[in-house]
């Protein structure tokens, strides 16, 4: 929903009268206890879509001045000189462009990460080791398996949350 008189939108429930449907697919590539490197596929293409969706699940984009973590943004600016959002379109796939862009149909453009992005990624990786999505799934499986094998304590519930 667009906020009147602001260049900002907010996440609302789908039954809100002003709601617009947004669909975003987020795939974790690497993560730490504090940060994640994700691949995002935009299905609907709404204004600020990536930023709003990630912020709504408490994973704001680093450097996002509207929807982000302001203290973290300040730290990133001091440490790395980051004055923008840490977003990078590494791949654009033109599936069915129209009009003056129709010549791009079927084209894929790949762009390497900027130097500053790689520097920040490397620093976060060494500060708090990134783990892969496969390792996350394995950890979650082991947690669930362990919880299922525990016996409930008297008065404490089932042990499965």
């Amino acid at each position: 929903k667009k906020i009147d008189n602001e260049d900002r939108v907010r996440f609302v429930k789908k039954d809100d009268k002003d709601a617009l449907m947004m669909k975003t697919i987020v795939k974790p590539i690497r993560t730490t206890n504090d940060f994640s490197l994700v691949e995002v596929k935009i299905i609907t293409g709404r204004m600020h879509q990536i930023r709003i969706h990630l912020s709504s699940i408490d994973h704001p984009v680093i450097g996002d001045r509207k929807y982000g973590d302001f203290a973290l943004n300040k730290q990133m600016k001091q440490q790395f000189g980051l004055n923008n959002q840490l977003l990078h379109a590494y791949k654009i796939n033109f599936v069915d462009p129209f009009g003056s862009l129709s010549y791009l149909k079927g084209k894929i453009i790949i762009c390497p990460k900027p130097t500053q992005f790689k520097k920040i990624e490397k620093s976060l990786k060494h500060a708090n080791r990134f783990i892969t999505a496969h390792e996350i799934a394995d950890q979650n499986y082991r947690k669930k398996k362990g919880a299922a094998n525990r016996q409930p304590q008297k008065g404490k519930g089932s042990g499965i949350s």
Side-chain angles (χ1 to χ4, degrees), residues 5-150:
N5 302 322
E6 288 187 41
D7 182 27
R8 188 177 162 108
V9 295
R10 67 181 171 95
F11 201 77
V12 295
K13 293 182 180 180
K14 65 182 177 182
D15 57 350
D16 186 289
K17 70 177 179 68
D18 295 320
L20 296 172
M21 200 274 287
M22 291 193 308
K23 186 169 182 179
T24 309
I25 298 170
V26 179
K27 177 183 168 187
I29 304 299
R30 289 190 295 280
T31 187
T32 69
N33 291 333
D34 299 317
F35 302 100
S36 296
L37 178 64
V38 297
E39 178 179 298
V40 178
K41 184 175 183 180
I42 302 170
I43 306 302
T44 51
R46 301 279 184 206
M47 183 169 79
H48 303 181
Q49 181 172 332
I50 294 170
R51 298 161 62 195
I52 292 168
H53 269 169
L54 291 177
S55 182
S56 75
I57 60 169
D58 294 326
H59 287 38
V61 174
I62 293 173
D64 188 339
R65 293 184 199 146
K66 289 185 183 198
Y67 308 104
D69 179 328
F70 306 112
L72 177 62
N73 293 346
K74 184 177 180 181
Q75 176 188 345
M76 291 293 168
K77 183 173 183 163
Q78 290 171 345
Q79 188 172 354
F80 300 104
L82 184 68
N83 289 312
N84 54 284
Q85 301 157 30
L86 199 61
L87 285 173
H88 175 63
Y90 83 94
K91 180 169 80 171
I92 300 174
N93 185 359
F94 293 92
V95 178
D96 196 18
F98 55 90
S100 63
L101 297 177
S102 60
Y103 73 95
L104 291 170
K105 185 174 181 129
K107 301 277 189 213
I108 297 173
I109 297 173
I110 306 271
C111 182
K113 294 175 195 167
T115 303
Q116 185 180 40
F117 191 108
K118 290 190 285 192
K119 181 180 177 183
I120 293 171
E121 180 182 18
K122 184 177 180 179
S123 178
L124 297 177
K125 181 179 180 178
H126 290 298
N128 194 350
R129 187 181 84 83
F130 273 118
I131 59 175
T132 65
H134 177 75
E135 289 173 310
I136 296 167
D138 187 53
Q139 287 175 1
N140 290 339
Y141 171 78
R142 282 186 271 137
K143 284 180 188 175
K144 286 180 183 176
K145 187 176 176 183
N149 290 333
R150 277 185 258 141

Side-chain angles (χ1 to χ4, degrees), residues 147-158:
N149 290 333
R150 277 185 258 141
Q151 294 297 317
Q153 297 176 3
K154 190 173 184 179
K156 296 276 185 176
S158 70

